[in-house]
Amino acid sequence: MELSQLFRGCRTYRRFLQEPVPEEVILEMLDNVRMVSSAGNHQTLRFVAVRTPETVERIQPLVKWAAMLPKEIGTPKKHEQPTAWIAIVKTPESGPWSDVDAGIAVESLVMTAYSRGIGSCIMGAIDAPAIAKILDLPDGYSIRMMIALGKPACESHIVDVPENGELKYYVDENRNYYVPKRSTDELAHII
């Protein structure tokens, strides 16, 4: 897949088919994330992949979905929930640049997933202490973000920003997503 095509296609998905994420995809994601840049090459982040259905289900009520949509529209129903999660974990050694490292890592993870037909949703509105307890993390380790994973059961499209300048994403009657994006000219300048 061409890189520009990958960036345009890798959208947020909030409804998933109830098919397991293949283990080889998870392993490829974890292998790729260890290769990406890290501040000072300290590599202080850790990643926990969750694939067992029971644990996947226990995490579901500890995350908040689609802040811009009513809960009944934005939250996946029981038969639409993710089939895997990846936790991005800070260690006691994580320093002031660990959030930058987390951003780089997350992009690597979701891009790898999408390139293999797996959709994702990056989640920061989470009950991190409760999830850390479920994952039995050592003292001093904390969850920074969660990534929901699964085969997409919806579509997500990029659209131009409307004339009123509204940037909120929205759904149609089939609960497919539309995400307004500013133009290149508005965001970037070449001097």
Side-chain angles (χ1 to χ4, degrees):
M1 186 178 295
E2 182 184 307
L3 187 58
S4 290
Q5 183 183 16
L6 184 62
F7 278 109
R8 283 166 177 72
C10 186
R11 314 294 340 131
T12 295
Y13 295 93
R14 295 180 181 89
R15 293 189 301 132
F16 304 95
L17 301 175
Q18 296 305 288
E19 300 173 10
V21 175
E23 184 176 2
E24 60 270 14
V25 173
I26 297 287
L27 291 172
E28 182 179 1
M29 293 170 70
L30 296 174
D31 192 48
N32 285 349
V33 77
R34 75 184 182 87
M35 296 295 177
V36 297
S37 298
S38 169
N41 198 35
H42 292 292
Q43 304 175 48
T44 61
L45 297 177
R46 298 296 179 264
F47 309 92
V48 179
V50 179
R51 290 184 66 237
T52 57
E54 302 78 26
T55 308
V56 168
E57 189 172 338
R58 287 178 65 198
I59 292 171
Q60 177 60 33
L62 302 173
V63 300
K64 291 188 174 106
W65 295 84
M68 293 186 183
L69 296 173
K71 187 175 182 177
E72 65 275 5
I73 294 173
T75 300
K77 295 172 181 22
K78 180 87 169 152
H79 63 281
E80 301 171 330
Q81 293 176 358
T83 58
W85 296 94
I86 291 187
I88 290 76
V89 179
K90 287 183 165 186
T91 65
E93 296 79 29
S94 295
W97 293 99
S98 62
D99 280 344
V100 174
D101 288 352
I104 294 167
V106 165
E107 191 72 5
S108 163
L109 291 163
V110 301
M111 290 291 184
T112 302
Y114 181 73
S115 76
R116 299 295 178 242
I118 301 300
S120 63
C121 183
I122 303 163
M123 310 195 72
I126 60 175
D127 186 339
I131 296 170
K133 189 171 186 167
I134 289 171
L135 301 181
D136 196 26
L137 295 182
D139 288 342
Y141 284 60
S142 60
I143 296 177
R144 179 62 183 93
M145 287 180 272
M146 294 294 292
I147 302 174
L149 297 165
K151 186 114 173 132
C154 62
E155 297 174 8
S156 187
H157 304 277
I158 294 174
V159 295
D160 293 334
V161 174
E163 287 186 24
N164 66 6
E166 183 62 59
L167 293 174
K168 289 184 180 178
Y169 51 82
Y170 56 92
V171 294
D172 63 17
E173 63 279 355
N174 296 316
R175 291 175 57 218
N176 290 315
Y177 283 78
Y178 295 84
V179 183
K181 293 291 183 181
R182 296 182 194 272
S183 71
T184 303
D185 290 341
E186 188 176 352
L187 292 177
H189 300 282
I190 300 172
I191 56 172

